[in-house]
Amino acid sequence: MFFVRRLLTSSLVVLVSTFVMYVLVSIAIDPLFDLRQSTSPNKEQLIEQRRQSLQLDESVFHRYFDWLGGAAGCVVGNCDLGSNWQTNQQVTDLLSGAILTTLQLVSLATVLAILIGVFIGIVSALRQYSGFDYSITFVSFLLYSLPTFWVAVLLKQFLAIGFNDFLADPSIAWWFYVICVVLAGLTLMAALGGSTKNRLRNFAIAGGATLVVLLYVELTDFISDPTLGIVGVAVLSIGTALCVTILSTGLSDRRSLYAALTVAGLGIVLYQPMRYFWYYAGANWLIVIGMGVLAVLVGALVGFLWGGPDRSTVVRTAALTAVPVSLYLFLDRLFSTWDVYVNHVRISGRPISTSGRRTPNFEGNFWMETLDLFGHLLLPTLTLTLISFAAYTRYARASTLEVLNQDYIRTARAKGLTERTVIMRHAFRNALIPLASIVPVDIITLIGGAVITERIFGWRGMGFLFADSLEKNVIDPIMAYLLVVAILAVVANFVADLVYAVLDPRIRVNA
């Protein structure tokens, strides 16, 4: 009964919203604008022909219900969302390409913004009123207030043009070493807090590790010829296993630690066989995604075999470790094509692109095309991540602070539980509940696109389709965009209710 009632109310919301938007768009655009400016001798005849073809002499209500009749056909698989009368293209064809482009553009940025924003927001809450908290608050408000187009222009200038020029002679200046070492040391020192001795130790660890990485990058010429190699994969995999175990169960849980290290060991052992696999079996995105799913299943199996009294946590730790380990193997194979890609005649040593979805007339294998896609994705992804991450940081911080002041958190600490257990097992899940009304909406409605970012970086996605159609006074693509966004909005709110029920057992979805 709940689902039926929700479906009916959602349908009514979509119907009313599309009607209102159709009326407003009809008032805002002028399909005869170009003809009104025309100096053609048969100007009046052309205007009359267009009036008849677009039914402009009919009332807006008649035209809306005519459009609605075609849109309703989507329910039975016979979509008719009209056409772009200027190019004579069906809107359904335009939508299919625009949705795919937008998903490529916005998906990664949304996931990164959520993960980074929630993590930093929780750490900021744990260090309330500290230097780290004040710094994160300042950076968050700064990024949140910056206009998207300005951030995009800065990234184009310094990260694309500047870095592409830097690749011609990639040598790291001494002052860059100093800035990175000091910044890394201060960040870890402030984030972990503790006594003066612990702070100095954390500063030394972070600064020393950063210095080692920078020296490795310069001495191995990693910038010009990036490659992880079996040593890089081993170091990253083992480090990831330790970090995931610390966050998931703590290093004191030996079964979880051994399961995570086993997954890391499997990644190291499979390093060379996977290179042979990619060479002989070829690659496409279906195979890559399938291998990723297989890696998670293998990780879960490893955790299950290690077992223990709390088998579910061991399985979770091992499965989570398998995700980045498999990613390292994929990136190692991808980087091995870097030299060929950069020196391609269409790239000419400038791999980071400032416009478009792909390099025109570029031809290559799967790995080269993937590098080309990533080169075009880098700037818009960073732009969207920087802008979105600021909001998630503030949401996560506020939610975590509210949870940390609850009685059950004080009780858990009074019982002698470790701080990691209190935060990860008792505070983290409850801190996610307020985010449940925000994150699902952002994830599901990402198909709506990013209008400004798509225009600036020349990605012809949903946002570009909407803005371009509005500028050219074509109503059918605009209404198709608004219809998709309206449907996704009601679906996202429904999913948010379900997520609420999963996170908080006190909430029930019923009649």
Side-chain angles (χ1 to χ4, degrees):
M1 190 64 186
F2 170 80
F3 292 99
V4 174
R5 186 174 71 249
R6 192 61 180 266
L7 178 62
L8 292 176
T9 56
S10 298
S11 301
L12 181 61
V13 169
V14 172
L15 184 65
V16 173
S17 63
T18 54
F19 173 73
V20 172
M21 293 310 300
Y22 194 95
V23 174
L24 294 177
V25 172
S26 297
I27 296 173
I29 67 175
D30 182 11
L32 303 176
F33 177 77
D34 58 322
L35 293 180
R36 297 185 198 279
Q37 311 299 318
S38 174
T39 58
S40 175
N42 60 339
K43 171 180 175 180
E44 296 300 326
Q45 181 181 357
L46 293 174
I47 291 178
E48 184 60 29
Q49 288 176 352
R50 185 173 295 181
R51 282 184 179 276
Q52 294 179 4
S53 63
L54 299 181
Q55 298 180 320
L56 297 181
D57 292 330
E58 303 286 349
S59 68
V60 66
F61 303 101
H62 181 276
R63 281 183 279 133
Y64 168 74
F65 284 108
D66 186 47
W67 172 85
L68 183 63
C74 296
V75 178
V76 295
N78 186 27
C79 261
D80 181 12
L81 298 175
S83 63
N84 184 337
W85 53 266
Q86 291 186 345
T87 61
N88 200 29
Q89 291 178 285
Q90 291 297 312
V91 173
T92 51
D93 296 334
L94 294 174
L95 276 181
S96 60
I99 289 176
L100 177 61
T101 300
T102 292
L103 284 175
Q104 288 181 332
L105 174 64
V106 185
S107 299
L108 180 60
T110 303
V111 172
L112 287 176
I114 293 172
L115 293 178
I116 297 174
V118 170
F119 175 77
I120 294 180
I122 291 175
V123 175
S124 180
L126 296 175
R127 299 288 173 263
Q128 186 182 19
Y129 303 136
S130 67
F132 181 83
D133 184 32
Y134 287 129
S135 300
I136 293 299
T137 300
F138 171 76
V139 172
S140 298
F141 279 118
L142 177 64
L143 292 175
Y144 191 76
S145 62
L146 290 178
T148 304
F149 65 87
W150 191 71
V151 175
V153 170
L154 288 181
L155 290 178
K156 279 188 175 186
Q157 177 62 42
F158 295 105
L159 193 56
I161 298 175
F163 184 76
N164 284 334
D165 292 339
F166 169 75
L167 287 179
D169 183 22
S171 58
I172 304 177
W174 66 268
W175 54 265
F176 186 78
Y177 279 91
V178 175
I179 292 176
C180 289
V181 168
V182 173
L183 186 61
L186 290 176
T187 301
L188 187 64
M189 180 182 72
L192 297 182
S195 63
T196 302
K197 180 180 178 180
N198 288 337
R199 289 172 179 268
L200 293 176
R201 182 190 62 193
N202 293 331
F203 181 91
I205 291 174
T210 303
L211 180 61
V212 170
V213 171
L214 290 175
L215 289 174
Y216 173 83
V217 167
E218 184 161 18
L219 294 176
T220 60
D221 200 22
F222 185 86
I223 297 176
S224 299
D225 186 18
T227 179
L228 295 178
I230 190 170
V231 176
V233 171
V235 172
L236 290 173
S237 298
I238 294 173
T240 299
L242 295 174
C243 291
V244 171
T245 305
I246 291 172
L247 293 175
S248 178
T249 63
L251 295 179
S252 59
D253 188 339
R254 295 301 179 185
R255 290 184 182 272
S256 294
L257 174 61
Y258 295 152
L261 290 175
T262 301
V263 172
L266 284 175
I268 299 169
V269 170
L270 292 175
Y271 173 81
Q272 197 60 40
M274 284 303 301
R275 292 183 70 89
Y276 285 124
F277 172 82
W278 294 124
Y279 180 80
Y280 289 107
N284 55 53
W285 280 112
L286 184 61
I287 294 177
V288 171
I289 295 173
M291 295 299 292
V293 173
L294 179 61
V296 174
L297 294 177
V298 170
L301 177 61
V302 170
F304 181 83
L305 293 176
W306 273 103
D310 194 1
R311 178 169 282 167
S312 61
T313 59
V314 181
V315 171
R316 178 189 64 204
T317 304
L320 289 175
T321 304
V323 176
V325 170
S326 60
L327 178 62
Y328 300 147
L329 294 175
F330 172 77
L331 291 177
D332 178 76
R333 176 59 185 87
L334 184 64
F335 285 156
S336 65
T337 318
W338 176 263
D339 186 59
V340 179
Y341 168 73
V342 172
N343 293 305
H344 190 279
V345 64
R346 291 289 177 183
I347 306 301
S348 302
R350 306 187 71 82
I352 300 181
S353 176
T354 59
S355 179
R357 182 173 169 230
R358 60 180 64 253
T359 303
N361 302 319
F362 179 83
E363 294 182 0
N365 58 21
F366 167 79
W367 302 104
M368 293 183 65
E369 290 182 352
T370 302
L371 282 173
D372 186 58
L373 175 62
F374 286 175
H376 287 76
L377 270 175
L378 180 62
L379 295 186
T381 297
L382 276 177
T383 301
L384 293 173
T385 300
L386 289 173
I387 299 299
S388 303
F389 131 88
Y392 289 121
T393 299
R394 305 312 302 160
Y395 291 139
R397 179 184 182 276
S399 176
T400 304
L401 285 175
E402 182 179 356
V403 169
L404 291 176
N405 290 323
Q406 299 298 317
D407 290 338
Y408 62 85
I409 296 295
R410 286 191 286 269
T411 302
R413 285 171 171 158
K415 290 168 63 178
L417 298 179
T418 63
E419 189 66 11
R420 191 209 63 79
T421 303
V422 172
I423 299 303
M424 298 304 298
R425 291 200 174 187
H426 296 277
F428 180 67
R429 176 170 173 166
N430 292 290
L432 292 179
I433 294 177
L435 293 173
S437 61
I438 301 170
V439 174
V441 175
D442 286 349
I443 292 177
I444 295 178
T445 57
L446 60 84
I447 296 179
V451 177
I452 298 176
T453 305
E454 289 181 13
R455 294 282 287 186
I456 292 174
F457 290 104
W459 280 67
R460 294 182 174 270
M462 290 289 288
F464 186 95
L465 176 66
F466 170 77
D468 187 62
S469 300
L470 191 62
E471 181 181 341
K472 294 179 179 178
N473 300 298
V474 185
I475 192 171
D476 284 345
I478 298 174
M479 287 307 303
Y481 170 87
L482 295 173
L483 176 65
V484 170
V485 171
I487 293 175
L488 289 175
V490 296
V491 170
N493 281 281
F494 177 68
V495 171
D497 290 344
L498 296 180
V499 174
Y500 251 103
V502 171
L503 292 175
D504 191 345
R506 296 171 298 178
I507 299 175
R508 290 288 179 266
V509 178
N510 50 40

